[in-house]
Amino acid sequence: MGTMDGEKSAIMNSIDRYAVFGHPIKHSKSPRIHRLFAEQTRQSLEYSAQEVPAEQFSAAAKQFFAEGGKGLNCTVPLKELAWNYADHKTERAQLSKAVNTLALQPDGSILGDNTDGIGLVTDLVVNHAIILAGTRILILGAGGASRGIIAPILDQSPQAMVIANRTVDKAVNLAAEFHGKGPITGCGFDDLKNRQFDLILNATSASLSGQLPPLPAGLLAENGNCYDLAYGNEPTAFVRWAKENHAAKSLDGLGMLVEQAAEAFFIWRGVRPKTRPVIELLNSERQL
Ligand code: ATR
């Protein structure tokens, strides 16, 4: 019996540990997603969720890695703190000024990456066959969520990208930061009158509280698509707006969530999980 326990704890200790830190974290789907990936790819690992308020982030991350943790996901409101915490960062993390994935490197240093933008682009382009090249794209909001998706979308060569925000200066300044990377401008919601877009992405936090930015009629081009970076068990306010405005596709951020997780899993494990079965499973559990 004693031997069994000894063996068991030896096995426990040898299992690679990962976690998601956030505040709040209770409803996070990340542990579920990563466990499904691990099962599917036959990787042996543990993935837990830890409630970590901003003021405790640095100490909690330090402790996690000191105790042998291999990698962390960081979500609201910790992504900027994780960006500061990382010893070095990928170029896409550098640009987005936010880190959602920390990975222990062989030399003991901590690499920071941001897989949100590529997760969104993969969901749009691969899962939903939405072409971004040559199209007119509108991003609602100019906060952290918007910043993280601009460069990966510009990489797809849209014809134009507009950032619209309630606080106009923030949109103009954010667009200015990315001027060298593509045809991007910033404006207020009032400036959207008489304009049309092939794809509208909602990156405001308004949706979560059931609110919508003021959007003029006719904003969405015929056969245009809408995507809310937020998701829920009910259609978000923006997804409802998309349907009312006859979007060809009215999507929410569940696919992006799974895709950003797959990219983090790849960074940690060097194995790419199949995302479609996981997205289908999570979708089947909510009756939208
Ligand atoms: P996140 O990291 O989720 O982007 P954030 O940095 O706080 O969070 O940014 C929230 C974004 O949602 C901002 O663009 C904000 O607009 P302001 O910059 O004008 O504050 C936008 N937002 C939040 N509530 C909104 C609302 N009710 N209507 C329109 N925009 C809203």
Side-chain angles (χ1 to χ4, degrees):
M1 193 65 198
T3 326
M4 265 259 301
D5 280 350
E7 270 170 18
K8 237 188 211 164
S9 78
I11 291 166
M12 289 289 287
N13 288 334
S14 68
I15 287 181
D16 290 347
R17 286 194 307 116
Y18 300 86
V20 58
F21 285 4
H23 183 64
I25 203 64
K26 210 170 128 214
H27 297 292
S28 172
K29 293 186 195 293
S30 291
R32 178 99 191 282
I33 293 169
H34 281 281
R35 284 171 203 156
L36 288 166
F37 287 165
E39 204 174 291
Q40 182 205 107
T41 58
R42 297 171 188 273
Q43 298 276 303
S44 161
L45 58 86
E46 257 177 38
Y47 189 108
S48 60
Q50 204 173 312
E51 183 78 39
V52 178
E55 58 278 12
Q56 286 166 24
F57 173 73
S58 182
K62 214 170 172 176
Q63 186 182 356
F64 178 80
F65 286 112
E67 289 174 356
K70 298 281 194 239
L72 281 181
N73 281 139
C74 303
T75 183
V76 180
L78 310 173
K79 292 182 190 183
E80 286 78 15
L81 293 169
W83 190 84
N84 276 316
Y85 184 87
D87 296 317
H88 42 107
K89 292 175 271 276
T90 62
E91 197 196 336
R92 61 192 183 193
Q94 200 63 265
L95 281 169
S96 62
K97 292 197 178 153
V99 154
N100 75 337
T101 304
L102 292 170
L104 178 69
Q105 301 297 287
D107 67 358
S109 66
I110 305 295
L111 175 70
D113 201 351
N114 191 329
T115 66
D116 286 332
I118 190 68
L120 170 68
V121 169
T122 303
D123 195 37
L124 286 167
V125 174
V126 180
N127 298 342
H128 297 290
I130 294 173
I131 294 163
L132 304 180
T135 63
R136 299 159 296 176
I137 300 177
L138 171 63
I139 298 180
L140 307 172
S146 300
R147 178 188 293 278
I149 62 173
I150 292 173
I153 294 177
L154 285 176
D155 284 346
Q156 300 290 311
S157 308
Q159 182 193 106
M161 179 190 276
V162 174
I163 313 289
N165 198 45
R166 182 173 57 185
T167 314
V168 181
D169 280 3
K170 270 173 73 180
V172 171
N173 293 338
L174 186 58
E177 274 187 56
F178 289 88
H179 269 164
K181 302 213 161 281
I184 181 172
T185 51
C187 66
F189 295 122
D190 282 348
D191 305 310
L192 295 175
K193 284 189 191 107
N194 303 318
R195 298 201 63 172
Q196 275 206 326
F197 297 90
D198 306 298
L199 173 65
I200 307 177
L201 298 151
N202 179 35
T204 69
S205 51
S207 212
L208 293 172
S209 48
Q211 289 178 307
L212 260 190
L215 302 176
L219 188 62
L220 186 65
E222 212 172 310
N223 292 318
N225 296 300
C226 289
Y227 195 107
D228 197 336
L229 271 61
Y231 64 88
N233 285 329
E234 305 283 319
T236 65
F238 181 66
V239 166
R240 292 199 302 273
W241 181 89
K243 286 181 177 151
E244 283 157 20
N245 285 270
H246 313 292
K249 292 182 177 168
S250 312
L251 306 166
D252 77 5
L254 188 75
M256 174 182 175
L257 177 78
V258 175
E259 293 297 344
Q260 65 76 30
E263 199 68 28
F265 193 91
F266 177 69
I267 290 163
W268 294 329
R269 310 299 300 181
V271 179
R272 215 169 261 289
K274 287 194 187 74
T275 49
R276 197 166 291 261
V278 176
I279 294 172
E280 276 171 9
L281 178 67
L282 294 182
N283 258 328
S284 73
E285 290 171 356
R286 52 179 201 162
Q287 271 108 39
L288 283 184

